[in-house]
Amino acid sequence: MRAPVQKLIRRPSRSIPSIILALLLLTAGGLGAWLLGHRIVSGTWPDRAATTLDAVGSSTLGSAAVLVTAGIVAVCGLVMILMALWPGIPERVEIRAAVAPGLSVRRAGEDVAAGDPVMEAGTRLSAAAISALASVGLGSVLVSPQVRVAVVSTGAELRDAGQALEPGTIPDSNSLLLAGLVAEHGAVCTSVARSGDTAEALAKVLRQAAAGADLIVTSGGVSAGAFDPLTMLAQAQRGEEAPVHLDFVKVAMQPGKPQGHGWVLADDGRRVPIICLPGNPVSVLVSFTTIVAPALAQLSGQEMADGGTESLPGRPRLTARAALGWQTPPGRRQHVPVRFSEAPTGSDVGDGSGRPWVTPTHRLGSGSHLVASLPAAQALAVVDAEVEAVEGGDELPLIPLSAS
């Protein structure tokens, strides 16, 4: 869709008029002198240490000074146009330093020349990007709309945040986590719903969620338990005519081993894709970062460099060194929430690598239930499946977290 550049900023804007402080200067040599940012710039220079000029020019070709903070430099040194005068301007000014012609003049094409690329297709429109578009004269641009995401958490044991808990119940922290992650990645959370532990209840909630969404993300119910609602729904509804189609896989990652995907038939006939994440909060964060975030980027129109996925979110961006060691799960790629820390005592800080140091945010490492330590996490340290243990000083690739 085509969006006006002004409307890409959500909060209302107002126009601030520019105040140009300018007086006309004409010199006997025919070249102008002007002050930009409170500096006198002269086209000709008298052969003496200092010179004094009238601050206000006359109608005859005499000497005068110009005070200006912004304006257009015209031919023969004319500075346009007198808009507002600085109250209390002195009658005469003294020039004490020689300057070159054209100093402090911003020339056309200094920022970008005609034909230079300003922004690539697939660029996410930040405040700076919108400003750049407006600066080159664009009033509207062709954009991809924000992806609409519906969040569904499963489990009859879930309760609203702050609600009194009975035995066998827990707060629903996953729906808040997912809704926040959706917003942090530039998408729009259209709804947050909760389902009980039956296939029928879940199917109804999913159909409702699909109505206004481009993607559905669920948490919980993807394990092999007897009462996991998503697995029960997958078994109950099979075939192309089923309104919900789900498949499940086991991914060699920790946390986040059980994963699911499929589609939900919306009332308008669309097949809305669905990504099903595990139920433990750290698993939700890791799975969203490595699986959902790249999907959102592609749905929103972000292009991949050279056909690869390295440029998408959820991929390692930098390398750090482990400040301490920890154990890893056999045969699974580990994602450990970490924070940047000081170099450990006695380490070879001056090794020349310039790598930052990281420490797990919790003493138990990548445990999938350690939700209270997540706010301290700045990145996910990635440990390959064949690494048996991390030693202090080991170099690890990092995936930055969206809010870090």
Side-chain angles (χ1 to χ4, degrees):
M1 66 181 184
R2 197 162 194 88
V5 170
Q6 295 91 334
K7 292 186 178 181
L8 293 173
I9 299 294
R10 293 187 177 217
R11 80 173 44 172
S13 60
R14 55 180 181 173
S15 175
I16 303 176
S18 302
I19 298 178
I20 300 179
L21 305 174
L23 290 176
L24 176 62
L25 169 73
L26 295 176
T27 68
L31 294 176
W34 52 94
L35 177 65
L36 298 179
H38 309 294
R39 178 179 296 153
I40 294 290
V41 179
S42 177
T44 59
W45 186 252
D47 187 17
R48 53 183 179 270
T51 187
T52 302
L53 299 177
D54 293 336
V56 179
S58 66
S59 59
T60 62
L61 291 179
S63 295
V66 173
L67 177 63
V68 59
T69 59
I72 302 174
V73 180
V75 179
C76 297
L78 213 56
V79 180
M80 300 176 60
I81 289 173
L82 177 61
M83 293 180 61
L85 294 178
W86 191 355
I89 188 169
E91 293 183 359
R92 298 176 69 78
V93 294
E94 186 176 77
I95 304 174
R96 300 182 178 180
V99 291
L103 182 64
S104 297
V105 175
R106 296 174 179 175
R107 302 188 181 279
E110 282 186 345
D111 188 8
V112 287
D116 285 352
V118 176
M119 199 168 300
E120 296 291 341
T123 300
R124 182 175 175 183
L125 292 181
S126 63
I130 295 171
S131 175
L133 293 172
S135 74
V136 295
L138 290 175
S140 65
V141 290
L142 190 64
V143 299
S144 298
Q146 289 179 289
V147 181
R148 303 169 300 168
V149 182
V151 170
V152 176
S153 55
T154 65
E157 73 280 7
L158 300 177
R159 297 294 181 269
D160 290 334
Q163 185 177 348
L165 299 179
E166 303 170 355
T169 61
I170 59 173
D172 180 12
S173 61
N174 281 347
S175 62
L176 299 174
L177 176 59
L178 283 172
L181 289 171
V182 166
E184 287 177 8
H185 285 80
V188 177
C189 185
T190 57
S191 64
V192 177
R194 188 183 302 152
S195 169
D197 286 337
T198 66
E200 293 78 9
L202 179 56
K204 181 179 179 180
V205 170
L206 292 179
R207 293 293 301 278
Q208 292 172 342
D214 304 307
L215 175 68
I216 302 171
V217 181
T218 69
S219 64
V222 295
S223 300
F227 298 101
D228 285 319
L230 282 164
T231 55
M232 291 191 298
L233 180 60
Q235 295 171 357
Q237 299 196 17
R238 296 180 179 275
E240 289 297 319
E241 300 300 322
V244 180
H245 180 83
L246 299 172
D247 290 305
F248 299 96
V249 294
K250 289 182 172 57
V251 182
M253 60 186 285
Q254 193 275 331
K257 182 178 180 180
Q259 301 286 340
H261 62 92
W263 50 262
V264 177
L265 186 64
D267 291 339
D268 58 4
R270 294 178 301 121
R271 289 184 173 183
V272 180
I274 180 173
I275 301 177
C276 309
L277 309 181
N280 285 308
V282 181
S283 298
V284 169
L285 176 67
V286 170
S287 301
F288 191 101
T289 302
T290 58
I291 298 173
V292 180
L296 286 177
Q298 289 193 271
L299 286 173
S300 64
Q302 179 176 333
E303 298 195 6
M304 296 181 289
D306 300 324
T309 61
E310 291 77 10
S311 60
L312 293 176
R315 301 297 183 263
R317 292 286 184 268
L318 65 156
T319 303
R321 303 179 69 187
L324 50 84
W326 64 81
Q327 295 299 310
T328 63
R332 297 164 68 186
R333 177 179 293 178
Q334 187 183 36
H335 297 80
V336 182
V338 295
R339 58 179 175 82
F340 293 105
S341 60
E342 298 292 332
T345 304
S347 61
D348 51 343
V349 180
D351 65 346
S353 68
R355 307 290 192 195
W357 294 82
V358 292
T359 301
T361 56
H362 197 281
R363 59 183 176 81
L364 297 180
S366 58
S368 60
H369 60 296
L370 306 174
V371 60
S373 64
L374 287 184
Q378 296 172 291
L380 298 176
V382 183
V383 185
D384 287 338
E386 60 271 15
V387 176
E388 296 181 356
V390 174
E391 303 292 340
D394 286 354
E395 293 192 353
L396 300 169
L398 297 186
I399 301 174
L401 292 176
S402 56
S404 61

